[in-house]
Amino acid sequence: MFKMKEKNGKAKDFDSDQNGTAGSTVLDTETGVAFSNGGCYDSCVPSCLQFRFASSSMEETYRAYFTRQKFDMLPVLLLFAFLFDVCVIILYVAKYDDSKLTEISIMGIAVLTNLILFVLCKFRLVSEWALANVMPFVIWILLCGQLLVHLGLHYDPLTPSDGAGWVVFFVYASYVMMPLRLLFVLLLSAVCTIGHSLMVGLLASANTKYMAVQLISNYLLYICAIILGCVSYLMSDKKLRRAFQDTRASLEVKVTLEEQKQQQETLLLSVLPKHVAIELQDDVGRSSIQNGQFNKIYIKRYENVSILFADIVGFTAMSSKLTAQELVKVLNGLFATFDKLAEENNQLRIKILGDCYYCICGVPDSYEDHADCSVQMGLDMVLAIAAVREKTQSGVDMRVGIHTGAVLAGVMGQRQWQFDVWSKDVTLANNMESGGIPGRVHISQTTYDCLSSNFETEPGDGDLRNDYIKARGIKTFLIKAPNLLKENKVLETLKVPADGDSRNEKGVNDEVETEKEAKSSLVARAQSARNVGNETEVNKIIYEALVEREHNSNISKQTNPITLNFKDADMETQFHCEKERQSGVSIACSVIIMLFAFFIQLTILPRTLASFLTFSIGSVILALLTFLSVGSNFPNTFPKSLVRFANWLETNRWARKLWAILVIFVLGAADMIDMFSCDVDSGYPSNLTSLYPYDDRCYYSQYFNFIAVLVLVGITVLVQITSVIKLFMQIVITVIYCVINIVLLPELHDRYDQFVYYDNQKGAYLVATKYELTATLLIISLALLYYNRHIELTSRLLFLWRVEAKNQKDEVYELRRKNEALIMNIMPAHVAKHFLGTKRKDEELYSHSYDEVGVIFASIPNFSEFYTEDLINNQGVECLRFLNEVISDFDGLLSEPRFKTITKIKTISSTYMAASGMSTDFEHLQSSETKKRWSHLADLVEFSLALRETLTKINQQSFNNFILRVGLNQGPVLAGVIGARKPHYDIWGNTVNVASRMESTGKAGHIQVVESTMNILKPFGYKFEKRGMIKVKGKGELLTFYLVGKDDSTDSIPGVIS
């Protein structure tokens, strides 16, 4: 159900009665359909004969859909009219004389008219308005006119029972085939039946002594047909309402699917370039991604690219003056501006490392002016930081370094995916930044060679500030930027977001274009309408979706053209096993037919012992069958055993078929037994002046055939069986009645003809009643066969739509699972909950301060010696494949329960960064004892030892000698997401900086910590070796220790602090 948000924040359903439908409403919880008794129409129709949606707008849309569905019934009704005309013409020709020429001509015109209307309705050659408001009445008038003309011109003399069988079928057909409201059909049925009764009552000239009895019997037939028609109408209405709601649910699923898809793609593109994201999407959510014996690697080499590194100088001093939320807002605003600049300068953001931002030009699309783009990007960043410096009144500045070369770009590991680049040229670009000057753009000789004449340079002297540059003898340059504020037109309009306002962020062009194209789609329109709460528009879209599904339906390709069975055997089984919720109601109709058949028997047929026995036994059997069938509709009222039986009956295809056959057998047998109980051996009285209704000779035997019409309708009402079974049953019933009429009991009808026609020396040119009744049954049976086939085709189409809706729901669930797995591969689980399944504005950022967190940096310092870019290593790809295996194995450790408190932050080249205690579970332990509070730090140590053990195993398998160097620290950190539209999760703070220095200043094969960390870990049984005072950049000298292991023995060893 679609929901919208009111201003007060409360959820508001779209199918609520927003337009104030008059009268009270009761919601059917099974179908979501409301019974209503308000309004002019409702006051005219009993509440038991109507379903209504509580929302008038939704009801109006449904009525349009219901009417459209009945459009396909109009050709069926016209086919019946055509068959009626053909039957009548055949009867005329069979007893032709000159007086029949007028009748044949009139019926010929009727045939032509029916054919014309059939073509117009079948191929929709008239407007929908005409089909809904004109055609039904034209067809009704045509049918009534044909019937009355036939009665007036053909029957001479006319009797009260003439044409009653046709009226019975026509009345029922009006309910199931006319695209009109139930009230209008009731009125038309009343007009039709009253018109027939008036005509035969006024014009009948034979067998009129017992006219009242015959008219009462006729009306019993009509009332039964009306009841069956109303039941069929309401069953169809309820089924179509369910289909309507299924479509609404299906459309909602599509909207949700689109939202989930957009959310997934947005998050994926926030950290990964599109070319990498496309390759990853199919693999997201898999437990393992293998490519042969190695984990799949998503890395590609790119030549002729320019790499830019930019570091915020003075960031630590600025961050100390801001709160956690203020710092995240400032960073978010600054990096959002950088992302905008990157887009304008054809840059691809690689990663944000704390206060360091680096990007690349030439990946994945190459640019001839990549060097110019990168230099311009650097100049724009310097200008942007100047605006921040002015706003915050701080000494922050930007140091930019650029180098041009080749890179390997992609993602590493299995968790916390972040796009990165590797190569010796990347290392040099990083050193170009560290060897640069604040407020200037520092470039290498290679970049200088690729630069156009648009920029002026001066000597950079990078070798004097950086040993790496000096060791390689690289000449560097600084970009001159005179009158930058006046010349840079782009930056004249650039506004640095205030207080972290990230609304200047701009999505990728492809997303914008895709969004524009999607606005015209039904899904996009429904999504927009749902967001603004426009119920009328939503219902209009639902109607269009229904029409679209009709046009796109390919059911003919999926079903057998003869049996209508699905070509897919599993689909056919599923269709038959689906519970039919209205089966009990359809079986109950057989009781109604039996009851009215008995009333007709009492009114105009002999009241014999056989009639009472057939009614009693038949009624008991049918009532029992009905009682056993409706148990599932009243699970709280009926015994559980009966409910289970009813559910089994509704879901077992063969049981349903046998049950339906038994119902029709009882109905047909009761009527046929009554026919055979008639006295056919007694002679015809010569002095008979009137036909006594209760004579054992059954003078009004035509009513047996009229009851047979009701039996054929009863077969149609059954929803448990397919059209093939209905075809078989109708053929059997029709053939048996035809044989009885013509072969077994022809005397029943011959005696009637003898008295009415031949004794009065009339009717010489009329076909015998037994043949006319047989023709009537054949035509009605043929029309019902066509109708039943159409109904089953519609049922199968609705079934396909339900299957489609279910498949779409399953697709949503699968996409949601992949979406969750994707987000878990981008950011930690507790942070992912902040973004998953929610819509947030750009300014709604995530930030959180933690007071007691452990942080490690674990690097492989000798990997740089292993890494080469020669041909044997595929220019470095194979080296990175090995590193991917190492990082993936490290990621695999995080799946172990013992490391559940550990969160991977990111990887930086061959350095693995993780943290512990970043969960709300530990925030509740602030007042607990030290050992309990810092248990996660012990877990982090164990994780570090496990990393070392894992690397040792890899060395043994690959015959390498990689060594792990770990730096560990503990304390407060700030965790946050920078960029609401392009989220990047990271942690900042002095704790992180010191942990990084512990790693960079440590010794390979060791875990280095500061004194405060050692004091916390000692109670856990860890042993340490004092290293002494070391110089740490930005911190002066710190006393550090090496963690040498955990030993339960009390023996001390030299140099170990226990």
Side-chain angles (χ1 to χ4, degrees), residues 263 267 270-271 328 416 418 819-820 822-838 840 844-850 903-905 915 917-920 923 973-980 982-988:
Q263 184 183 42
L267 284 168
S270 69
V271 294
V328 171
Q416 262 56 60
Q418 291 184 351
N819 196 19
E820 290 177 356
L822 168 70
I823 298 176
M824 300 309 172
N825 271 347
I826 293 177
M827 56 186 67
H830 66 283
V831 181
K833 293 178 182 178
H834 181 77
F835 287 90
L836 187 61
T838 60
R840 299 182 180 273
E844 293 184 36
L845 307 177
Y846 173 84
S847 63
H848 195 87
S849 296
Y850 298 92
T903 301
K904 178 184 176 183
I905 304 300
M918 296 181 61
S919 171
T920 55
E923 293 183 333
V973 301
L974 168 64
V977 175
I978 299 174
K982 301 182 70 176
H984 172 84
Y985 179 77
D986 209 341
I987 59 177
W988 302 272

Side-chain angles (χ1 to χ4, degrees), residues 17 21-38 42 46-54 59 234 237-238 241:
D17 193 0
T21 303
S24 60
T25 58
V26 180
L27 186 65
D28 182 346
T29 55
E30 179 185 10
T31 62
V33 177
F35 295 98
S36 175
N37 58 357
D42 302 330
S47 59
C48 61
L49 294 181
Q50 55 181 303
F51 298 121
R52 285 185 61 83
F53 290 110
E59 177 67 20
L234 294 175
D237 183 33
K238 196 170 185 178
R241 286 180 185 274

Side-chain angles (χ1 to χ4, degrees), residues 273-406:
K274 190 173 182 179
H275 68 287
V276 177
I278 292 174
E279 187 177 1
L280 278 170
Q281 274 183 319
D282 292 336
D283 297 331
V284 169
R286 297 183 185 177
S287 57
S288 62
I289 304 170
Q290 297 287 329
N291 185 9
Q293 61 179 334
F294 297 104
N295 289 292
K296 188 173 182 180
I297 188 171
Y298 304 93
I299 293 176
K300 184 179 179 181
R301 184 176 177 85
Y302 296 89
E303 305 283 350
N304 299 319
V305 299
S306 291
I307 311 115
L308 181 150
F309 276 80
D311 186 59
I312 301 176
V313 181
F315 172 77
T316 304
M318 181 185 71
S319 61
S320 63
K321 301 177 183 179
L322 302 174
T323 65
Q325 290 73 19
E326 289 173 342
L327 180 59
V328 171
K329 285 185 177 181
V330 170
L331 286 175
N332 179 72
L334 185 60
F335 288 133
T337 300
F338 289 169
D339 287 341
K340 176 178 172 59
L341 294 173
E343 188 174 328
E344 293 172 352
N345 291 297
N346 300 322
Q347 302 288 316
L348 177 64
R349 188 186 78 182
I350 302 301
K351 192 179 290 187
I352 298 173
L353 300 175
D355 58 347
C356 180
Y357 184 102
Y358 67 103
C359 54
I360 190 170
C361 183
V363 176
D365 301 321
S366 61
Y367 295 94
E368 293 183 0
D369 60 343
H370 55 85
D372 285 29
C373 290
S374 295
V375 169
Q376 186 61 57
M377 174 70 181
L379 294 174
D380 292 347
M381 294 176 80
V382 170
L383 180 60
I385 201 69
V388 174
R389 180 169 62 247
E390 181 180 352
K391 178 175 176 55
T392 60
Q393 296 298 309
S394 62
V396 293
D397 209 334
M398 184 66 70
R399 188 170 57 222
V400 180
I402 302 174
H403 174 63
T404 300

Side-chain angles (χ1 to χ4, degrees), residues 698-764:
C698 301
Y699 290 129
Y700 296 92
S701 58
Q702 62 267 34
Y703 282 91
F704 288 121
N705 284 264
F706 298 158
I707 294 173
V709 175
L710 296 179
V711 174
L712 292 176
V713 171
I715 296 175
T716 301
V717 174
L718 292 174
V719 296
Q720 297 94 329
I721 52 178
T722 63
S723 61
V724 175
I725 302 299
K726 290 181 180 180
L727 169 66
F728 169 75
M729 295 171 65
Q730 286 184 330
I731 289 176
V732 171
I733 293 293
T734 304
V735 169
I736 292 176
Y737 272 99
C738 291
V739 171
I740 292 175
N741 288 336
I742 299 174
V743 180
L744 299 180
L745 299 175
E747 298 87 354
L748 294 178
H749 307 298
D750 290 342
R751 284 191 299 218
Y752 179 84
D753 290 345
Q754 182 68 31
F755 174 80
V756 174
Y757 303 118
Y758 303 125
D759 286 355
N760 296 320
Q761 298 178 352
K762 292 183 178 181

